[in-house]
Amino acid sequence: MKIILFLFLIFYGVWAEDFISPKEYQESLYQNPRGISCAKCHGNGNQQTLGFYTKNGEKIPFIIPSIKNTNYKRFREILFQPQESKSIMPTYSLTEQEIKSLYDYVTNNKKE
């Protein structure tokens, strides 16, 4: 009986449908692509203030630009290129498919 159950689970796993929708996959990438969440800095994708820094005694906001209207070529370029050491944008080492999924998620969720 245990062998039959074991074989059933193996065959079921091979032919089972995905349990996650494309939108859920895209959201999971946005929330945590490689341990560093896009949402932590970009929120819902709109321009926002990440924090402040002081320069010459003046408090200056650090603005994160909106990523919702970025064209795919620029979006891919930003995620694909190694970042400068002074950049706060992390390097994710994403695959081409992951970048496309993230882009679809960002551009299809334009709620302001």
Side-chain angles (χ1 to χ4, degrees):
M1 184 65 174
K2 290 181 183 179
I3 293 173
I4 293 172
L5 180 61
F6 179 71
L7 290 173
F8 173 76
L9 291 174
I10 289 174
F11 287 116
Y12 181 76
V14 170
W15 286 295
E17 299 229 5
D18 289 339
F19 292 106
I20 185 169
S21 72
K23 184 173 178 163
E24 290 170 325
Y25 172 69
Q26 293 167 351
E27 184 175 8
S28 72
L29 277 175
Y30 188 74
Q31 295 300 328
N32 193 5
R34 295 287 188 267
I36 306 169
S37 171
C38 303
K40 291 279 187 194
C41 296
H42 292 283
N44 64 2
N46 293 322
Q47 177 177 306
Q48 61 185 20
T49 301
L50 182 63
F52 296 88
Y53 63 97
T54 304
K55 183 175 181 180
N56 298 329
E58 184 181 347
K59 187 176 177 181
I60 301 170
F62 191 89
I63 306 294
I64 301 294
S66 172
I67 58 174
K68 290 188 174 196
N69 297 317
T70 304
N71 67 47
Y72 179 73
K73 182 179 177 185
R74 179 70 179 136
F75 188 86
R76 182 186 179 283
E77 180 181 284
I78 291 168
L79 288 174
F80 223 44
Q81 70 186 5
Q83 301 299 323
E84 297 176 16
S85 61
K86 64 182 178 180
S87 173
I88 65 167
M89 178 71 182
T91 300
Y92 287 105
S93 301
L94 299 170
T95 67
E96 190 69 38
Q97 185 59 43
E98 289 171 326
I99 292 172
K100 287 177 183 174
S101 291
L102 279 172
Y103 184 75
D104 287 344
Y105 180 75
V106 168
T107 57
N108 291 323
N109 292 295
K110 291 189 174 189
K111 295 177 186 168
E112 297 296 326

